[in-house]
């Protein structure tokens, strides 16, 4: 009798752990920036892609957004960021990412230059 109770308790905990693991893996990146480290609950980071070391006087941004990983829109291209910052020469390119609970994610390209 005691063995059956222990076995039932073990199976219950095993089932709960498997369900939690499955849900975490399934919904972890519903809305995700897709770059850098991925935070399950919250993510905000800046990643440098290219830098020349030259001094920059202007900055341009271009962003793309995602909701639940179902709808995404925007133009986060380097060309769009260069156009928004009115840059003729690019001295650095960075990515800014933001993710909140997999509900909302934003990826921005930041170009600096002259």
């Amino acid at each position: 009798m005691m063995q059956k109770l222990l076995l039932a308790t073990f199976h219950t905990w095993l089932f709960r752990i498997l369900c939690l693991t499955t849900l975490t893996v399934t919904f972890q990146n519903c809305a995700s920036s897709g770059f850098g480290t991925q935070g399950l609950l919250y993510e905000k980071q800046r990643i440098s892609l290219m830098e020349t070391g030259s001094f920059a006087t202007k900055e341009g941004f271009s962003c793309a957004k995602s909701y639940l990983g179902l709808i995404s829109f925007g133009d986060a291209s380097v060309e769009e960021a260069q156009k928004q910052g009115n840059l003729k020469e690019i001295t650095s390119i960075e990515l800014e990412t933001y993710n909140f609970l997999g509900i909302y994610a934003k990826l921005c390209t930041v170009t600096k230059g002259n």
Side-chain angles (χ1 to χ4, degrees):
M1 179 76 169
M2 186 64 151
Q3 285 179 329
K4 286 184 180 181
L5 182 60
L6 287 174
L7 190 58
T9 304
F10 174 74
H11 285 158
T12 301
W13 279 104
L14 183 62
F15 179 74
R16 287 179 183 174
I17 290 170
L18 287 174
C19 286
L20 183 61
T21 303
T22 302
L23 288 173
T24 301
V25 169
T26 302
F27 295 111
Q28 179 177 6
N29 292 320
C30 282
S32 169
S33 63
F35 288 95
T37 57
Q38 300 295 311
L40 179 61
L41 302 177
Y42 177 78
E43 165 195 343
K44 184 176 182 179
Q45 55 191 331
R46 192 169 215 172
I47 304 165
S48 180
L49 296 179
M50 186 274 296
E51 192 164 335
T52 64
S54 300
F55 183 72
T57 57
K58 299 178 187 174
E59 189 173 69
F61 287 89
S62 61
C63 297
K65 300 173 184 175
S66 175
Y67 297 93
L68 293 175
L70 299 174
I71 300 171
S72 64
F73 57 91
D75 182 357
S77 67
V78 173
E79 292 82 13
E80 181 64 22
Q82 183 178 12
K83 188 169 74 173
Q84 293 297 323
N86 195 23
L87 304 174
K88 296 191 184 346
E89 175 189 21
I90 296 175
T91 59
S92 74
I93 301 172
E94 297 175 343
L95 293 178
E96 283 186 357
T97 64
Y98 176 79
N99 178 14
F100 182 71
L101 295 177
I103 298 170
Y104 172 76
K106 181 170 74 169
L107 172 69
C108 293
T109 302
V110 182
T111 55
K112 296 179 183 178
N114 303 307

